[in-house]
Coordinates of all heavy atoms in Angstrom, one line a residue:
Q1 N 0.3 14.1 30.8 CA 1.1 15.2 31.3 C 2.1 14.7 32.3 O 2.7 15.4 33.1 CB 0.3 16.1 32.1 CG -0.8 17.0 31.3 CD -0.1 17.8 30.3 OE1 1.0 18.4 30.6 NE2 -0.6 17.9 29.1
E2 N 2.5 13.4 32.3 CA 3.5 12.7 33.2 C 4.4 11.9 32.4 O 4.0 11.2 31.4 CB 2.9 12.0 34.2 CG 1.9 12.7 35.1 CD 1.3 11.8 36.2 OE1 1.4 10.6 36.1 OE2 0.7 12.4 37.1
I3 N 5.7 11.9 32.7 CA 6.7 11.2 32.1 C 7.3 10.4 33.2 O 7.9 11.1 34.1 CB 7.6 12.0 31.4 CG1 7.0 12.8 30.2 CG2 8.8 11.1 30.8 CD1 7.9 13.7 29.5
Y4 N 7.3 9.1 33.2 CA 8.0 8.2 34.0 C 9.4 8.0 33.5 O 9.5 7.7 32.4 CB 7.3 6.9 34.3 CG 6.1 7.1 35.2 CD1 4.8 7.4 34.6 CD2 6.1 6.9 36.6 CE1 3.7 7.6 35.2 CE2 4.9 7.2 37.3 CZ 3.7 7.5 36.8 OH 2.6 7.6 37.4
F5 N 10.4 8.0 34.5 CA 11.8 7.6 33.8 C 12.4 6.8 35.0 O 12.1 6.7 36.1 CB 12.5 8.8 33.4 CG 13.2 9.7 34.7 CD1 14.4 9.4 34.9 CD2 12.4 10.4 35.4 CE1 14.9 10.3 36.0 CE2 12.9 11.2 36.4 CZ 14.1 11.2 36.7
S6 N 13.4 6.1 34.6 CA 14.2 5.2 35.5 C 15.7 5.2 34.9 O 15.9 5.8 34.0 CB 13.7 3.7 35.6 OG 14.0 3.1 34.4
E7 N 16.4 4.6 35.6 CA 18.0 4.5 35.3 C 18.0 3.7 33.8 O 19.0 3.9 33.2 CB 18.8 3.7 36.2 CG 18.8 4.6 37.4 CD 19.6 3.7 38.6 OE1 20.0 2.6 38.6 OE2 19.7 4.6 39.7
K8 N 17.0 3.0 33.4 CA 16.9 2.3 32.2 C 17.0 3.3 31.0 O 17.1 2.9 29.8 CB 15.8 1.3 32.0 CG 16.0 0.3 33.1 CD 14.7 -0.8 33.0 CE 14.9 -1.8 34.1 NZ 13.7 -2.6 34.1
D9 N 16.6 4.6 31.3 CA 16.6 5.6 30.2 C 17.8 6.0 29.7 O 18.2 6.8 28.9 CB 15.8 6.8 30.6 CG 14.2 6.5 30.6 OD1 13.7 6.6 29.5 OD2 13.6 6.1 31.7
F10 N 19.0 5.5 30.5 CA 20.3 5.9 30.2 C 21.1 4.7 29.7 O 20.8 3.6 30.1 CB 21.0 6.4 31.5 CG 20.2 7.6 32.0 CD1 19.3 7.6 32.8 CD2 20.8 9.0 31.7 CE1 18.7 8.8 33.3 CE2 20.3 10.2 32.0 CZ 19.1 10.1 32.9
T11 N 22.2 5.0 28.9 CA 23.0 4.0 28.4 C 24.1 3.6 29.5 O 24.1 4.2 30.6 CB 23.8 4.5 27.2 OG1 24.7 5.5 27.6 CG2 22.9 4.9 26.0
W12 N 24.8 2.6 29.2 CA 25.7 2.2 30.3 C 26.9 3.2 30.5 O 27.4 3.3 31.5 CB 26.3 0.8 30.0 CG 27.2 0.8 28.7 CD1 26.7 0.6 27.3 CD2 28.6 1.0 28.6 NE1 27.8 0.6 26.6 CE2 29.0 0.8 27.3 CE3 29.7 1.2 29.6 CZ2 30.3 0.9 26.8 CZ3 30.9 1.3 29.1 CH2 31.1 1.1 27.7
R13 N 27.0 4.1 29.5 CA 28.0 5.3 29.6 C 27.4 6.4 30.3 O 28.2 7.4 30.3 CB 28.5 5.6 28.2 CG 29.3 4.5 27.6 CD 29.9 5.1 26.4 NE 31.0 4.2 25.8 CZ 31.7 4.5 24.9 NH1 31.8 5.7 24.4 NH2 32.7 3.6 24.7
G14 N 26.1 6.3 30.7 CA 25.5 7.4 31.5 C 24.8 8.5 30.5 O 24.4 9.6 30.9
R15 N 24.6 8.1 29.2 CA 24.1 9.2 28.2 C 22.5 8.7 28.3 O 22.2 7.6 28.2 CB 24.8 9.0 26.9 CG 26.1 9.5 27.0 CD 26.7 9.8 25.6 NE 28.0 10.4 25.6 CZ 29.2 9.7 25.3 NH1 29.1 8.5 25.0 NH2 30.2 10.1 25.4
L16 N 21.8 9.8 27.9 CA 20.5 9.6 27.7 C 20.1 8.9 26.4 O 20.7 9.3 25.4 CB 19.7 10.9 27.9 CG 18.2 11.0 27.9 CD1 17.7 10.3 29.1 CD2 17.7 12.4 28.0
K17 N 19.2 7.9 26.5 CA 18.8 7.2 25.2 C 17.9 8.0 24.3 O 17.2 8.9 24.8 CB 18.1 5.9 25.6 CG 18.9 4.9 26.2 CD 18.2 3.5 26.5 CE 19.0 2.6 27.2 NZ 18.2 1.4 27.6
K18 N 18.3 8.0 23.1 CA 17.5 8.9 22.1 C 16.0 8.7 22.2 O 15.2 9.7 22.0 CB 18.0 8.5 20.6 CG 19.3 9.2 20.5 CD 19.9 9.0 19.0 CE 21.1 9.8 18.9 NZ 22.1 9.1 18.2
E19 N 15.6 7.4 22.4 CA 14.1 7.2 22.4 C 13.6 7.4 23.8 O 12.3 7.4 23.9 CB 13.8 5.6 22.0 CG 14.3 4.7 23.1 CD 15.8 4.2 22.9 OE1 16.5 4.8 22.1 OE2 16.2 3.4 23.7
S20 N 14.2 7.9 24.7 CA 13.6 8.2 26.0 C 12.6 9.4 26.0 O 13.0 10.3 25.3 CB 14.7 8.5 27.0 OG 14.2 9.0 28.2
K21 N 11.5 9.3 26.7 CA 10.5 10.4 26.7 C 11.1 11.5 27.6 O 10.6 12.6 27.7 CB 9.2 9.9 27.2 CG 8.6 9.0 26.1 CD 7.1 8.9 26.6 CE 6.4 8.1 25.3 NZ 4.9 8.2 25.5
L22 N 12.1 11.1 28.3 CA 12.8 12.2 29.1 C 13.3 13.4 28.3 O 13.4 14.6 28.7 CB 14.0 11.6 30.0 CG 14.8 12.4 30.9 CD1 13.7 12.9 31.9 CD2 15.7 11.4 31.6
N23 N 13.6 13.0 27.1 CA 14.1 14.1 26.2 C 12.9 15.2 25.9 O 13.1 16.5 25.8 CB 14.4 13.6 24.7 CG 15.8 12.9 24.8 OD1 16.6 13.3 25.2 ND2 15.6 11.6 24.3
E24 N 11.7 14.8 25.9 CA 10.7 15.8 25.7 C 10.5 16.8 27.0 O 10.3 17.9 26.7 CB 9.2 15.0 25.8 CG 8.9 14.1 24.6 CD 7.7 13.3 24.9 OE1 6.8 13.7 25.6 OE2 7.6 12.3 24.2
F25 N 10.7 16.3 28.2 CA 10.7 17.1 29.3 C 11.9 18.1 29.2 O 11.7 19.3 29.6 CB 10.8 16.2 30.7 CG 10.8 16.9 31.8 CD1 9.5 17.2 32.5 CD2 11.9 17.4 32.6 CE1 9.4 17.9 33.6 CE2 11.8 18.1 33.7 CZ 10.5 18.3 34.3
L26 N 13.1 17.5 29.0 CA 14.3 18.4 28.9 C 14.2 19.5 27.8 O 15.1 20.4 27.9 CB 15.6 17.4 28.9 CG 15.8 16.7 30.1 CD1 17.0 15.7 29.9 CD2 16.0 17.4 31.4
A27 N 13.4 19.2 26.8 CA 13.4 20.2 25.7 C 12.6 21.5 26.1 O 12.6 22.4 25.3 CB 12.8 19.4 24.5

C-alpha cells in the first residue's frame, strides 16, 4: 500500500518515467 518515489522517477526533462510506480498512484 505504499509507493516510494524520488527525483530519479523523472527524466532529465522533468517528465515522469514510464516504468515509475508513481503512475499507479496518479491513475
Side-chain angles (χ1 to χ4, degrees):
Q1 298 294 324
E2 295 177 356
I3 300 172
Y4 287 88
F5 77 105
S6 70
E7 291 175 358
K8 293 177 183 175
D9 286 278
F10 295 86
T11 66
W12 66 273
R13 289 185 171 201
R15 293 193 176 110
L16 190 59
K17 292 180 180 176
K18 288 182 175 137
E19 68 275 5
S20 172
K21 289 196 174 189
L22 189 52
N23 288 308
E24 294 173 23
F25 184 86
L26 295 176

